[in-house]
């Protein structure tokens, strides 16, 4: 198991290295440079700027320097946000994104599972169809529409929740709901399908014929087995949500890092783009690792298989 | 009673000064009201609308002097010597004080400088500083200015606004080049033919005579130099504090010291900050606001919703919302003095593209005029933009020292004449009509850029039978292609750096760094060159007017399209909030709240 984990760790680092390299070269393909004022920068000032930050070195030289710094754990300073370390910017904004992300995941998972289970148990009923319809809408309606509607209804018209900005728990409710809607829909659909699958399987029929009571069957056998596909997506879904959503953060003026995924690319802020990409990748890879561990906990068969290796 | 009549007088003076300024004086910029009819008229209406809140001149201050506004982003750079962006400029302007500050009418008024002397040749300015303090108790001295300015022109700091010093101050350019050479001699020599002359720091025309006297020597007489000194990059920096803060300088609110009307407090990155009144500001009596709360709101529709909910006093009106709010009494527009125009690529030597014949045709003035006259500018401003933007019939926008008002419209939209000009022009250029059927049109990737492109496409198709091949690309890509000559037509914009027509006029000198179309006219070059050293203001102005006539009326080097305006909503109890097109766009120093809870 230790050897297995170590091996996986090495793969993780290698994956990150490949991601960093690809990101580096992709960014160098972008037109322009990390100038604040690209429209008016004079050639003389541009030359001085490039010289200062080594941007006029040949690309391979820049790449080697970049990797050297990276190996020392130095992500550097943002080009746009003067004198601010990339790590500081992530440390400032990530907790806000993560808070909303976690709230969305909790809200989405609880309601998603609930809806999914009920729909599966009452298959073909009114409740089932309602859940399917809600889930379809949840997946189909983009967050900028849902966000705008929630903001207008609860913020501007009813005035029960803050329209936007940041500060208290109340401020997190609407963005979390907006973000969570997709989670509810995704998980409800998945759970329903997976439950139906399990409910019609042979071992469940056996359990029923053995005379176990329905509660035990559903709880111990059906739900537990049906959860596996949900867990598979849950970890990666969580990582995607806690790193922030550009749209939701803009609509509700959340000081998170979602915005940086896009804006840093527009401004060619090489260091910040790199830092955020690596941070996200690391989280993502880590979440895949967690998924594997979680499998084992839920399904002993996978744990056994893992041990054999 | 006495107070009231004084205020009445004051408001009369204000209205008068605005009216006068509108008639060719020196108004920089103000908000314009609703429908953009005549610019001069607009400016005076706007004045009442936005700043004074009506003719009553009631100055009943509310007990609570708190203003709640938004910014579209976090200020990325509060080290004033290196600052370039709109948000940083606005923050710096609120919390710092330079030698001068721009007042309501767009003219510089004394700030840290109590007064100044100008030598007879107009090339030496001696500023006498008043007794003022930084927020840590240190006095503001002439050295604070010298220190900040020297940093901006030292290539080592790679300040992107260095040119706003090196263009004016004696030996500043030499010092920049010398420091650039020092930074990396090999690389410097790749771009230059010879080693630059050594220029020592003490040779630069910025001299500290004593703690309270700063002497500045200029390259040429610059009538607008005291406007420049209000520009944020010209703000002072306290050397001791800067050294002590090291590379943390300007990154947090406690990593800065302040000498302006407000103090920067409660700065939470990406969330917002608060300006608190600075009790030690030299003119603290004038400052009425106790607090300005600023939230970072990136989405304009969100800001609008916050305004509707009563959480903001000021909101932007995005173009698609304009029809809904146009009739709102709190709706107003103000021009930011930016001009958007079409650049014709007329330089075959700097061309990348499939069809050189197009460039050959565009090198002909008649062809350029044909395209320009075929456009429906009024329709574009009214239908597509619909936010107070004005159709442009000259290069320098309204509101810059009365230049546009004086030089008038230099041409008119005229589809009939356009057809004829195209025929003649193509013949002169020796380009077959079939080779000039499709022109590439390069523009930004925004929604409004697309609408403009489609409108112009329709104009050219219906009048001249020319098809525009619309290419929407990102901002950086557009700049890259513009500089490389990889375009036929490109929509470009330019905003002023200082309150003088020269900030627009010198764009198009031969081989100028922003002259993407490769326009070249000896007569124009000479006029600009001479205007730059002319010490008689009237002659200088005349030269620039003549130059503009050559640029637009004769050569149509570029096709002017529109002078941009912004649409906003402002609560009526906010008084004397000034909007400027140059440098920081909002000025809070004179703002107050009156009648909020009525």
């Amino acid at each position: 198991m230790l050897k297995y984990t170590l091996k996986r760790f090495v793969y993780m680092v290698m994956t990150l290295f490949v991601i960093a390299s690809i990101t580096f070269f992709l960014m160098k393909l972008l037109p322009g440079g990390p100038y604040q004022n690209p429209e008016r920068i004079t050639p003389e000032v541009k030359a001085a700027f490039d010289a200062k930050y080594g941007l006029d070195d040949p690309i391979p030289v820049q790449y080697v320097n970049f990797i050297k710094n990276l190996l020392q754990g130095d992500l550097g300073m943002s080009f746009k946000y003067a004198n601010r370390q990339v790590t500081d910017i992530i440390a400032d904004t990530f907790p806000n994104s993560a808070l909303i992300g976690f709230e969305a995941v909790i809200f989405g998972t609880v309601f998603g599972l609930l809806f999914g289970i009920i729909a599966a148990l009452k298959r073909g009923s009114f409740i089932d169809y309602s859940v399917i319809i809600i889930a379809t809408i949840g997946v189909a309606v983009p967050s900028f529409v849902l966000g705008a509607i929630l903001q207008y209804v609860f913020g501007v018209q009813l005035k029960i929740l803050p329209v936007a900005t940041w500060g208290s728990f109340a401020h997190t409710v609407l963005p979390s709901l907006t973000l969570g809607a997709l989670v509810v829909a995704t998980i409800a659909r998945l759970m329903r399908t997976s439950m139906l699958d399990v409910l019609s399987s042979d071992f469940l029929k056996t359990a029923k014929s053995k005379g176990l009571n329905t509660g035990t069957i559903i709880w111990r056998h059906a739900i537990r087995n049906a959860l596996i596909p949900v867990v598979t997506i849950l970890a990666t879904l969580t990582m995607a949500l806690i790193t922030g959503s550009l749209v939701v953060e803009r609509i509700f003026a959340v000081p998170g890092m979602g915005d940086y995924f896009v804006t840093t690319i527009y401004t060619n802020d090489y260091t910040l783009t790199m830092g955020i990409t690596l941070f996200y990748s690391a989280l993502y890879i880590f979440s895949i690792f967690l998924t594997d561990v979680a499998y084992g906990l839920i399904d002993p068969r996978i744990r056994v298989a893992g041990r054999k290796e | 009673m006495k107070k009231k009549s004084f205020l009445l007088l004051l408001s009369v003076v204000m209205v008068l000064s605005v009216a006068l300024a509108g008639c060719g004086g020196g108004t920089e910029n103000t908000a314009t009201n609703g429908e953009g009819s005549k610019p001069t008229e607009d400016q005076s209406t706007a004045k009442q609308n936005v700043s004074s809140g009506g003719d009553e001149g009631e100055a009943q201050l509310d007990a609570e002097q708190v203003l709640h506004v938004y910014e579209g982003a976090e200020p990325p750079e509060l080290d004033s010597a290196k600052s370039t962006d709109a948000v940083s400029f606005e923050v710096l302007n609120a919390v710092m004080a330079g030698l001068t500050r721009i007042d309501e009418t767009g003219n510089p008024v004394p700030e840290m400088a109590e007064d100044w002397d100008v030598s007879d040749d107009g090339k030496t300015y001696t500023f006498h500083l008043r007794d003022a303090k930084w927020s840590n108790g240190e006095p503001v001295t002439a050295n604070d200015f010298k220190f900040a300015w020297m940093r901006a022109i030292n290539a080592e700091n790679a300040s992107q606004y260095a040119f706003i010093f090196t263009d004016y101050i004696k030996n500043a350019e030499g010092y920049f080049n010398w420091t650039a050479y020092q930074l990396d001699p090999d690389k410097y020599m790749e771009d230059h033919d010879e080693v630059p002359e050594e220029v020592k720091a003490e040779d630069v025309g910025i001299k500290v005579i004593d703690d309270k006297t700063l002497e500045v020597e200029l390259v040429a007489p610059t009538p607008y130099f005291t406007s420049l000194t209000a520009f944020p990059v010209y703000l002072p920096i306290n050397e001791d504090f800067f050294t002590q803060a090291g590379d943390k300088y300007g990154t947090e609110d406690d990593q800065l010291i302040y000498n302006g009307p407000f103090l920067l407090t409660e700065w939470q990155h990406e969330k917002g900050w608060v300006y608190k009144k600075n009790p030690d500001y030299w003119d603290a009596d004038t400052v009425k606001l106790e607090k300005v709360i600023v939230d970072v709101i990136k989405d304009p529709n969100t800001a609008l919703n916050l305004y509707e909910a009563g959480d903001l006093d000021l909101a932007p009106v995005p173009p698609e919302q304009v029809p809904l709010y146009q009739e709102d009494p709190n709706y107003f527009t103000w021009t930011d003095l930016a001009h958007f125009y079409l650049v014709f690529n007329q330089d075959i030597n700097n061309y990348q593209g499939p069809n050189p014949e197009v460039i050959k045709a565009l090198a002909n003035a008649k062809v350029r005029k044909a395209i320009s006259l075929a456009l429906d500018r009024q329709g574009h401003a009214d239908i597509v933009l619909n936010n107070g933007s004005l159709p442009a019939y000259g290069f320098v926008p309204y509101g810059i020292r009365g230049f546009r008002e004086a030089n008038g419209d230099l041409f008119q939209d005229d589809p009939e004449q356009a057809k004829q000009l195209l025929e003649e022009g193509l013949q002169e250029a020796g380009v077959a009509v079939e080779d000039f059927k499709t022109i590439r049109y390069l523009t930004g990737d925004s929604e409004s850029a697309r609408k403009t492109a489609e409108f112009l496409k329709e104009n050219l198709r219906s009048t001249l039978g020319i098809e525009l091949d619309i290419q929407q690309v990102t901002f950086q890509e557009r700049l890259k292609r513009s500089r490389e000559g990889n375009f036929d037509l490109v929509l470009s914009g330019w905003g002023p750096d200082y309150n003088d027509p020269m900030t627009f006029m010198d764009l198009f000198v031969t081989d100028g760094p922003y002259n993407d179309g490769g326009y070249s006219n000896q007569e124009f070059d000479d006029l600009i060159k001479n205007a730059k050293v002319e010490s008689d203001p009237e002659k200088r102005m005349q030269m620039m007017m003549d130059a503009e006539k050559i640029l637009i009326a004769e050569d149509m080097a570029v096709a002017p399209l529109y002078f941009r305006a912004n649409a906003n909503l402002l609560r009526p109890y906010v008084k004397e909030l000034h909007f400027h097109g140059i440098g920081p766009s909002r000025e809070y120093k004179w703002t107050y709240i009156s009648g909020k809870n009525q």
Side-chain angles (χ1 to χ4, degrees), chain A residues 29-54 56-57 77 79-85 88-89 92-93 96 148 151-152 155-156 159 162-167 247 249-256 259-260 263 265-268, chain B residues 73-79 82 84-85 155-163 176-177 180 183-184 187 191-192 246-252 269-271 295-302 305-306 308-311 445 474-480 483 492-497 503 513-514:
Chain A
L29 283 177
L30 287 173
Y35 319 111
Q36 284 285 310
N37 205 4
E39 220 160 2
R40 358 200 112 189
I41 192 165
T42 57
E44 289 77 27
V45 175
K46 187 165 168 280
F49 188 91
D50 288 352
K52 179 171 178 183
Y53 294 104
D56 50 358
D57 290 330
M77 288 199 194
F79 277 101
K80 180 168 178 191
Y81 300 94
N83 287 337
R84 293 196 63 207
Q85 294 286 343
D88 287 347
I89 294 179
D92 267 352
T93 52
N96 301 335
Q151 181 176 64
Y152 187 74
V156 180
K159 297 190 196 301
V163 172
T165 70
W166 193 243
V247 174
E249 287 179 7
R250 282 184 86 95
I251 292 180
F252 293 103
V254 175
D259 201 42
Y260 288 130
T263 50
I265 295 172
Y266 280 133
T267 54
N268 287 17
Chain B
E74 160 98 354
E77 175 71 272
L78 293 185
D79 175 354
K82 296 165 76 175
T84 53
D85 66 289
E156 195 185 291
N157 296 315
S159 166
Q160 295 179 47
Y161 251 119
F163 65 87
F176 182 89
N177 288 336
L183 198 61
D184 196 333
K187 273 172 193 149
D191 303 329
H192 299 79
D247 63 7
K248 287 265 173 275
Y249 183 81
T251 53
E252 307 290 341
H269 291 290
E270 292 289 319
K271 176 188 181 291
D295 284 325
V296 175
I297 315 280
K298 290 173 178 156
D299 185 334
N301 285 301
T302 301
N305 279 339
L306 283 164
E308 289 287 1
D311 295 335
D445 57 357
T474 59
F475 175 65
Q476 299 261 12
E477 177 70 16
R478 175 168 67 79
L479 282 184
K480 179 172 169 250
R483 300 284 129 90
S492 281
W494 191 262
D497 287 324
T503 187
Y514 315 109

Side-chain angles (χ1 to χ4, degrees), chain B residues 63 65-66 262 275-277 287-292:
Chain B
Q65 290 293 319
V66 178
F262 300 94
Y275 301 125
K276 229 177 86 193
K277 185 178 170 173
V287 181
K288 299 289 184 295
L289 287 176
E290 289 298 330
K291 239 184 182 184
V292 182

Side-chain angles (χ1 to χ4, degrees), chain A:
Chain A
M1 189 69 188
L2 182 73
K3 199 176 151 198
Y4 172 74
T5 317
L6 265 176
K7 212 164 142 189
R8 286 201 50 109
F9 182 75
V10 173
Y11 284 147
M12 234 166 93
V13 173
M14 276 168 61
T15 315
L16 272 182
F17 179 79
V18 171
I19 291 172
S21 303
I22 293 176
T23 313
F24 177 86
F25 288 109
L26 281 179
M27 281 191 304
K28 291 293 163 188
L29 283 177
L30 287 173
Y35 319 111
Q36 284 285 310
N37 205 4
E39 220 160 2
R40 358 200 112 189
I41 192 165
T42 57
E44 289 77 27
V45 175
K46 187 165 168 280
F49 188 91
D50 288 352
K52 179 171 178 183
Y53 294 104
L55 295 172
D56 50 358
D57 290 330
I59 299 281
V61 176
Q62 289 189 42
Y63 178 68
V64 172
N65 288 337
F66 158 69
I67 293 294
K68 261 191 218 156
N69 290 334
L70 194 63
L71 290 179
Q72 291 163 4
D74 181 9
L75 287 172
M77 288 199 194
S78 161
F79 277 101
K80 180 168 178 191
Y81 300 94
N83 287 337
R84 293 196 63 207
Q85 294 286 343
V86 168
T87 41
D88 287 347
I89 294 179
I90 295 176
D92 267 352
T93 52
F94 173 64
N96 301 335
S97 294
L99 178 62
I100 288 190
F102 276 124
E103 280 183 26
V105 169
I106 292 168
F107 158 74
T109 316
V110 169
F111 283 89
L113 287 179
L114 209 64
F115 286 169
I117 292 167
I118 295 172
L121 293 177
K122 307 272 176 192
R123 188 180 182 186
S125 72
F126 172 73
I127 301 176
D128 185 22
Y129 290 124
S130 312
V131 168
I132 293 174
I133 290 170
I134 292 173
T136 313
I137 293 174
V139 172
V141 176
S143 50
F144 62 86
V145 174
L146 185 64
I149 292 173
L150 289 177
Q151 181 176 64
Y152 187 74
V153 174
F154 293 101
V156 180
Q157 290 300 323
L158 301 175
K159 297 190 196 301
I160 25 182
L161 286 165
V163 172
T165 70
W166 193 243
S168 63
F169 173 72
H171 286 98
T172 66
V173 174
L174 289 181
S176 304
L177 285 183
T178 309
L179 211 53
L182 186 72
V183 186
V184 175
T186 314
I187 290 185
R189 278 194 330 169
L190 199 62
M191 191 62 191
R192 179 181 173 273
T193 321
S194 164
M195 269 291 272
L196 288 177
D197 221 34
V198 176
L199 284 175
S200 60
S201 64
D202 289 341
F203 75 89
L204 220 77
K205 283 179 190 154
T206 313
K208 241 182 236 172
S209 55
K210 265 174 31 185
L212 289 177
N213 73 52
T214 330
T216 318
I217 293 175
I218 291 172
W219 183 245
R220 286 204 53 177
H221 300 284
I223 293 183
R224 211 164 151 185
N225 280 294
L227 269 178
I228 291 180
V230 175
V231 170
T232 315
I233 64 153
L234 200 59
T236 45
L237 194 67
T238 307
M239 290 309 155
L241 289 180
I242 63 173
T243 45
S245 144
L246 165 78
V247 174
V248 171
E249 287 179 7
R250 282 184 86 95
I251 292 180
F252 293 103
V254 175
M257 65 182 262
D259 201 42
Y260 288 130
F261 282 106
V262 178
T263 50
T264 58
I265 295 172
Y266 280 133
T267 54
N268 287 17
D269 194 339
Y270 300 133
T271 43
L272 191 51
T273 307
M274 181 59 77
I276 283 177
T277 310
L278 286 181
F279 180 73
Y280 180 76
S281 311
L283 278 182
Y284 196 85
I285 296 170
F286 185 64
S287 74
I288 294 175
F289 177 74
L290 279 186
T291 310
D292 287 351
V293 177
Y295 271 160
L297 293 179
I298 298 170
D299 189 340
R301 282 173 302 180
I302 295 174
R303 192 161 51 201
V304 172
R307 239 181 236 155
K308 262 182 200 161
E309 206 193 5

